[in-house]
Amino acid sequence: MKKSRIFAAVVYFIFTFGIGVVFAMTLPGYFAAFTVSGEVVASSLEKGELLKALTLAEPIGFLREPVLAQTFETGGGVVLYETVTEVYDRSDAEDGETSGLTHGMLYKCYTGYLYGVGDRYDVFSKESNAAALYVTTEQGEEVRLPLLDYDADGDGRKDGISTFTENGFVLLEIRAGDVSAFTKLSFADRTGARVFSAEAAAALNFESAFFDCFGDIEGYNELVAQCAAEGVTQEELADLNGQRNDYIASVKEALGQRKDCSLTAEAEEYREASREVSRRANNKAIPFVLLYFVAIYIIADFLLGTHYIIRFFKWFLFKVCRIPHKEKKGPPKDEVFGHDYYSMVTLRLDLGEVPEFGGSVEIKYTNGGEEFAFVLLKEENYTATLRMKAGTYVNPFIDIDRAYAPVDLPENLVVEGYRMETIIKIVKREGERL
């Protein structure tokens, strides 16, 4: 039984520590991707650090001055920047939102946020949710753009805006494929009522010196499509990638010549935002990982029978804090500790009341930090003998089928004489009696 306990401990710690290592390696990335980024965006918007918030939307590049910035009398506002963004979807979106663009392609858009409107923007409903963004063209026509992005009840209809529910802002992205030009934004709530609006000083038509820095975006997207096509040889792929690299170099050079434009990856606001995301993600992950390792140790301490935690608290309470407690009386010390000799100690089980018992039993005592275990087996007539030094042995522990229990297991096993025998009676637990 002792070997089986050691094997169980080894398996337990290998398994639980393995899971703990996985947690330590993956949790910071999980928090950074799914929770912390939104929190940093929300705090940046609240503090007026709009560019810092924009960079966490991770466009390829952006114009540093907003093309639309409006605040509301009741608080909050709308901000839009010129950006060029890369598609991260591996395939065309089913709802056509990417207009046929696939992974790695670029598109022009106006990116920004609706922020600070709190509970004044009601956009959650499980039935007939009409929340949306409406953009008004130069001709006065309205184009409806969806904002809802999650289904709360699994009925196939989208019920709310995840970033607004979690962090109180709405990410806005108006793409060149959605509308050729627009002058005004209107935000409808779940009932369809227009509750907020913002108007640009001039028509936003995806044409500017910033967008010119990206040159022939359609030509670049064609290169991306050719690289992903089937049957492309290695020589052709190398040539296509070379053309893509030339395009990227030209974009970097063009953006670098303008102080009002930035590559997101090189912007100080992005580096600052990334550091904050990383710090917050680690602050969330580290306590969780530490608590996990503490929990698995506590569970192991109780399940595997070492009980070091209980022993520590007993020592701390009774020895350090000196809380009075009733000492269990043993024989006078001069009867036991005054003799430096060893004794052959035999433990035997009395199974007179439970003749059907057939399991194995392990009984442990400790003395001076050393543990002594009696392993009692059926084939040995439930009798075990150990050579032990004379003294008082404490902290009894018995490992037995939970349907059974000892009735007279000594709290202090007093070892004296050159040979001694102790009989321990085993009975059926009250709830287990037939």
Side-chain angles (χ1 to χ4, degrees):
M1 179 172 285
K2 193 171 184 179
K3 289 184 178 179
S4 65
R5 182 178 294 277
I6 293 174
F7 176 75
V10 170
V11 171
Y12 174 82
F13 279 113
I14 290 177
F15 180 73
T16 53
F17 269 75
I19 294 176
V21 171
V22 172
F23 281 153
M25 295 176 64
T26 60
L27 277 180
Y30 171 82
F31 286 130
F34 295 102
T35 62
V36 173
S37 292
E39 294 173 4
V40 174
V41 169
S43 65
S44 299
L45 292 172
E46 184 178 353
K47 292 184 287 188
E49 299 173 344
L50 303 181
L51 279 178
K52 182 177 176 182
L54 174 69
T55 60
L56 286 177
E58 297 193 341
I60 297 297
F62 59 90
L63 183 70
R64 301 188 67 85
E65 291 296 325
V67 292
L68 187 157
Q70 181 171 323
T71 56
F72 306 132
E73 292 182 0
T74 52
V78 177
V79 64
L80 285 180
Y81 291 86
E82 293 179 356
T83 67
V84 170
T85 303
E86 182 179 7
V87 178
Y88 291 104
D89 301 320
R90 287 292 175 183
S91 59
D92 289 351
E94 292 182 1
D95 56 9
E97 288 185 8
T98 57
S99 302
L101 298 176
T102 58
H103 183 76
M105 293 184 178
L106 304 179
Y107 57 92
K108 300 176 183 179
C109 66
Y110 292 99
T111 303
Y113 298 96
L114 170 66
Y115 62 93
V117 294
D119 57 3
R120 291 176 287 126
Y121 190 34
D122 187 2
V123 293
F124 182 83
S125 176
K126 294 182 180 180
E127 296 181 2
S128 302
N129 195 334
L133 167 64
Y134 290 87
V135 296
T136 305
T137 68
E138 289 181 287
Q139 293 74 32
E141 298 177 355
E142 281 193 336
V143 178
R144 183 183 184 277
L145 300 179
L147 293 177
L148 304 177
D149 61 1
Y150 75 95
D151 179 5
D153 54 8
D155 64 353
R157 294 180 300 184
K158 294 179 179 178
D159 305 315
I161 305 171
S162 58
T163 57
F164 190 75
T165 299
E166 295 171 4
N167 300 111
F169 65 84
V170 180
L171 174 63
L172 306 175
E173 193 177 81
I174 304 169
R175 306 179 181 185
D178 298 328
V179 61
S180 59
F182 65 96
T183 58
K184 182 180 178 181
L185 305 180
S186 297
F187 297 88
D189 65 10
R190 63 186 180 88
T191 67
R194 311 300 172 85
V195 289
F196 300 105
S197 64
E199 192 164 352
L204 303 179
N205 57 8
F206 303 92
E207 294 180 4
S208 69
F210 166 76
F211 289 125
D212 290 343
C213 292
F214 285 83
D216 185 10
I217 287 182
E218 291 74 15
Y220 176 79
N221 289 343
E222 180 61 29
L223 292 175
V224 174
Q226 292 177 32
C227 288
E230 295 183 2
V232 179
T233 66
Q234 289 298 319
E235 292 78 8
E236 292 172 332
L237 186 60
D239 179 61
L240 292 170
N241 283 329
Q243 295 180 58
R244 291 177 64 179
N245 290 335
D246 291 341
Y247 171 83
I248 293 170
S250 68
V251 170
K252 287 184 175 181
E253 181 180 0
L255 289 175
Q257 293 174 356
R258 299 187 60 90
K259 293 183 178 180
D260 59 345
C261 302
S262 290
L263 278 171
T264 300
E266 297 178 0
E268 177 56 35
E269 292 87 356
Y270 180 70
R271 289 193 288 268
E272 182 183 347
S274 297
R275 288 193 294 268
E276 185 172 350
V277 168
S278 178
R279 176 180 59 80
R280 289 196 186 195
N282 287 332
N283 289 344
K284 283 179 177 287
I286 290 173
F288 181 91
V289 173
L290 291 178
L291 286 174
Y292 172 80
F293 280 108
V294 169
I296 64 174
Y297 174 76
I298 292 174
I299 293 171
D301 190 60
F302 283 94
L303 289 181
L304 302 177
T306 51
H307 301 296
Y308 289 123
I309 295 174
I310 294 176
R311 296 180 194 177
F312 167 77
F313 280 107
K314 284 184 177 179
W315 170 82
F316 180 77
L317 293 173
F318 299 138
K319 298 296 184 181
V320 178
C321 298
R322 299 186 180 278
I323 295 177
H325 68 293
K326 186 177 180 180
E327 295 284 354
K328 295 179 179 178
K329 294 183 178 180
K333 289 188 177 181
D334 57 1
E335 293 181 19
V336 178
F337 294 104
H339 306 285
D340 188 13
Y341 64 89
Y342 285 87
S343 175
M344 299 303 293
V345 180
T346 299
L347 289 190
R348 181 164 61 85
L349 300 184
D350 177 3
L351 304 177
E353 292 193 18
V354 287
E356 77 283 0
F357 182 79
S360 56
V361 178
E362 184 179 37
I363 298 175
K364 295 179 182 179
Y365 283 93
T366 60
N367 183 307
E370 187 176 1
E371 188 176 77
F372 296 83
F374 293 85
V375 180
L376 301 111
L377 306 173
K378 182 177 182 179
E379 52 268 27
E380 296 176 1
N381 296 320
Y382 292 105
T383 301
T385 302
L386 292 179
R387 182 174 180 266
M388 304 168 68
K389 193 172 185 180
T392 300
Y393 293 77
V394 296
N395 298 326
F397 173 79
I398 183 168
D399 189 351
I400 190 173
D401 186 332
R402 294 185 61 83
Y404 300 88
V407 295
D408 50 7
L409 182 65
E411 286 291 332
N412 296 305
L413 181 63
V414 180
V415 175
E416 57 184 348
Y418 292 102
R419 186 175 298 276
M420 63 173 288
E421 180 178 291
T422 298
I423 299 174
I424 299 171
K425 186 177 182 180
I426 303 297
V427 298
K428 198 95 168 179
R429 290 185 185 272
E430 288 297 328
E432 305 292 339
R433 293 184 181 276
L434 298 177

